[in-house]
Amino acid sequence: MSLIITTAIGFGAAALLWIFFRPPFGKNIVRLNTDQRVVALTYDDGPNPPYTEQLLDVLAKHNVKATFFIIGNRIEKHPETANRIIAEGHQIGNHSHSHPLLGFLPPFYVQRQIERTDDLIRQHGITEKVVFRAPMLTRFLPVAYVLAKRDRIHISCDVWSWDWTTQNPDKITETVLKKTKPGSIIVLHDGKAENKNANRSGTIEATDRIITALKQDGYRLVRLSDCLAKAVTS
């Protein structure tokens, strides 16, 4: 009998952990639902002058629009950079106010982090629905619950650049191009969590190379808002 009870407790604990880490409700976008050569470049953790400005220069050179998931306290610190991102036609997304691991925090705190940054983004003239990505993509139960209550989706990805671990442009470029396929959502970083300044010169150089290579391979690069109607959830 004790073995049966122990086994039941084990299965129950495993089920609870599964529900916590893979909530069975809410929408989590991992890639675009298309066989066409379309991909979305996304950037997390900015604004981060001067690197965000340098990145914007590269995107402008290639006439490419991207999606920037920005941190609220960095919008407060660098409003002029946020304004430039918007003015140049890129999409703005919410990446929390201070970049905590929201998936391990209570729902009221998750909600406050999202709402504070939503308010800041609205102050910069954004009127459409704001997309959201949790720090470190921790869409665990508290995050999924808060988003589902508000009928909001979570934006994940299928291509990690790992550029927060290295600023070697060769490695970043190789990692991204190796994993990219039609419909990919690519995550790069123009800033760093916890309101810290970060040298992102490797990401900028890699972006230039990635765009060049993808265009040569027939890809079109878009904002998430251009194609979210066709997306794959998990």
Side-chain angles (χ1 to χ4, degrees):
M1 181 65 71
S2 61
L3 179 60
I4 295 174
I5 293 173
T6 300
T7 302
I9 291 173
F11 275 114
L16 288 173
L17 285 172
W18 178 263
I19 291 171
F20 183 85
F21 289 110
R22 295 292 298 269
F25 53 82
K27 293 182 179 179
N28 184 46
I29 304 297
V30 294
R31 58 181 300 273
L32 308 174
N33 188 18
T34 179
D35 293 325
Q36 297 181 10
R37 289 183 176 270
V38 174
V39 298
L41 280 180
T42 69
Y43 295 88
D44 290 2
D45 296 354
N48 179 35
Y51 301 102
T52 302
E53 283 85 355
Q54 293 171 14
L55 175 60
L56 289 170
D57 290 341
V58 169
L59 294 171
K61 180 180 80 170
H62 290 283
N63 193 28
V64 163
K65 306 302 180 187
T67 302
F68 287 79
F69 286 91
I70 55 183
I71 300 173
N73 60 19
R74 297 196 70 85
I75 304 174
E76 293 169 327
K77 189 174 181 180
H78 305 293
E80 69 290 342
T81 306
N83 283 333
R84 181 179 168 188
I85 294 171
I86 296 165
E88 296 189 5
H90 303 285
Q91 184 179 359
I92 291 288
N94 184 328
H95 198 45
S96 81
H97 186 264
S98 59
H99 204 278
L101 288 176
L102 292 179
F104 295 103
L105 297 170
F108 77 87
Y109 190 86
V110 174
Q111 180 177 333
R112 180 60 178 150
Q113 281 276 323
I114 295 173
E115 287 179 346
R116 288 182 70 183
T117 301
D118 276 348
D119 290 343
L120 288 164
I121 291 172
R122 300 290 182 209
Q123 291 172 21
H124 285 265
I126 301 299
T127 57
E128 64 266 21
K129 201 166 188 177
V130 178
V131 291
F132 176 77
R133 172 180 284 159
M136 298 300 295
L137 291 146
T138 54
R139 181 193 166 265
F140 303 156
L141 188 60
V143 174
Y145 171 76
V146 170
L147 294 178
K149 279 185 64 178
R150 289 153 184 79
D151 193 29
R152 292 181 71 165
I153 60 176
H154 178 264
I155 304 296
S156 187
C157 71
D158 65 335
V159 178
W160 285 82
S161 65
W162 296 98
D163 65 336
W164 67 93
T165 65
T166 177
Q167 279 297 290
N168 181 323
D170 295 330
K171 290 184 178 180
I172 298 169
T173 302
E174 180 182 5
T175 298
V176 170
L177 294 180
K178 184 177 180 179
K179 297 177 180 179
T180 297
K181 57 188 177 182
S184 282
I185 297 175
I186 302 166
V187 174
L188 294 136
H189 294 76
D190 60 320
K192 187 175 182 179
E194 300 173 356
N195 208 23
K196 294 179 180 178
N197 294 323
N199 185 322
R200 290 293 182 242
S201 55
T203 295
I204 294 163
E205 175 61 30
T207 293
D208 193 23
R209 299 181 189 181
I210 289 165
I211 292 173
T212 298
L214 289 176
K215 282 191 168 185
Q216 288 175 348
D217 203 23
Y219 278 92
R220 182 166 59 93
L221 297 100
V222 298
R223 302 169 301 180
L224 290 168
S225 57
D226 297 327
C227 46
L228 271 185
K230 297 180 178 180
V232 176
T233 59
S234 70

